[in-house]
Amino acid sequence: MTKTLMFPLMSACLLFTILGDRGACGTKGGAVNKTPVQNNDKLATGVWGGDHIRAEVTDKGAEIEFDCAHGAIAQTIVLNGKGGFDVSGKFAPQHGGPVRDNEESKGISVHYVGSVKDSELTLTIINTGTKETIGDFTLTHGSDGRVMKCR
């Protein structure tokens, strides 16, 4: 090879090597952590949605809407080192049709158990009293979800 071709070729190889390693700093195997978390490993605020669920996450917890229910988390959702959480909250089933004047929706105590990877949240709702799973959901950060309320 001639010297005039050698320098541009070596420069291009060096440039691609540097740019290729750019995202690898501080991560294992060059993987980039895309988990939507805030400082102090809190679940990212804003809208999270999926099929039959929509959650509005704030610094103080979350309000959750389901097709025929609603729920609430009244505490900051802090993630563990693996992107997971287990927080207490309320879940209140609803029904279609008119609501009576004396009808109350007290709700039941539940655990919201979740895991975040990239911009996807996997959420399981567990009845605290019976330990039964109420539902499993997959939500995406920034999505309004698809909820069809009972009316």
Side-chain angles (χ1 to χ4, degrees):
M1 254 188 199
T2 65
K3 288 184 181 181
T4 56
L5 286 176
M6 187 68 117
F7 180 73
L9 182 60
M10 288 177 57
S11 298
C13 288
L14 180 60
L15 179 64
F16 288 127
T17 301
I18 292 169
L19 292 177
D21 286 342
R22 215 170 126 206
C25 295
T27 60
K28 284 187 174 181
V32 177
N33 183 5
K34 297 178 185 175
T35 303
V37 296
Q38 295 178 330
N39 294 338
N40 302 322
D41 292 323
K42 296 177 190 172
L43 183 63
T45 59
V47 176
W48 290 81
D51 288 338
H52 313 290
I53 187 169
R54 180 185 190 276
E56 182 73 37
V57 177
T58 67
D59 287 331
K60 297 179 181 176
E63 294 293 325
I64 307 164
E65 287 293 326
F66 304 90
D67 288 346
C68 293
H70 63 273
I73 299 171
Q75 62 184 302
T76 303
I77 303 171
V78 179
L79 304 176
N80 62 27
K82 296 180 181 179
F85 63 88
D86 182 346
V87 293
S88 298
K90 292 289 184 182
F91 177 85
Q94 297 169 317
H95 61 80
V99 177
R100 297 178 188 221
D101 289 337
N102 62 350
E103 186 176 350
E104 290 184 39
S105 181
K106 296 177 184 176
I108 57 173
S109 294
V110 295
H111 277 271
Y112 290 95
V113 181
S115 179
V116 180
K117 183 175 181 186
D118 297 329
S119 61
E120 188 173 281
L121 167 62
T122 303
L123 182 67
T124 300
I125 304 162
I126 302 168
N127 183 320
T128 303
T130 65
K131 307 294 185 219
E132 292 179 317
T133 297
I134 294 172
D136 294 305
F137 301 90
T138 301
L139 297 85
T140 303
H141 189 243
S143 170
D144 276 328
R146 188 171 163 209
V147 177
M148 309 250 240
K149 293 303 286 183
C150 294
R151 302 269 181 219

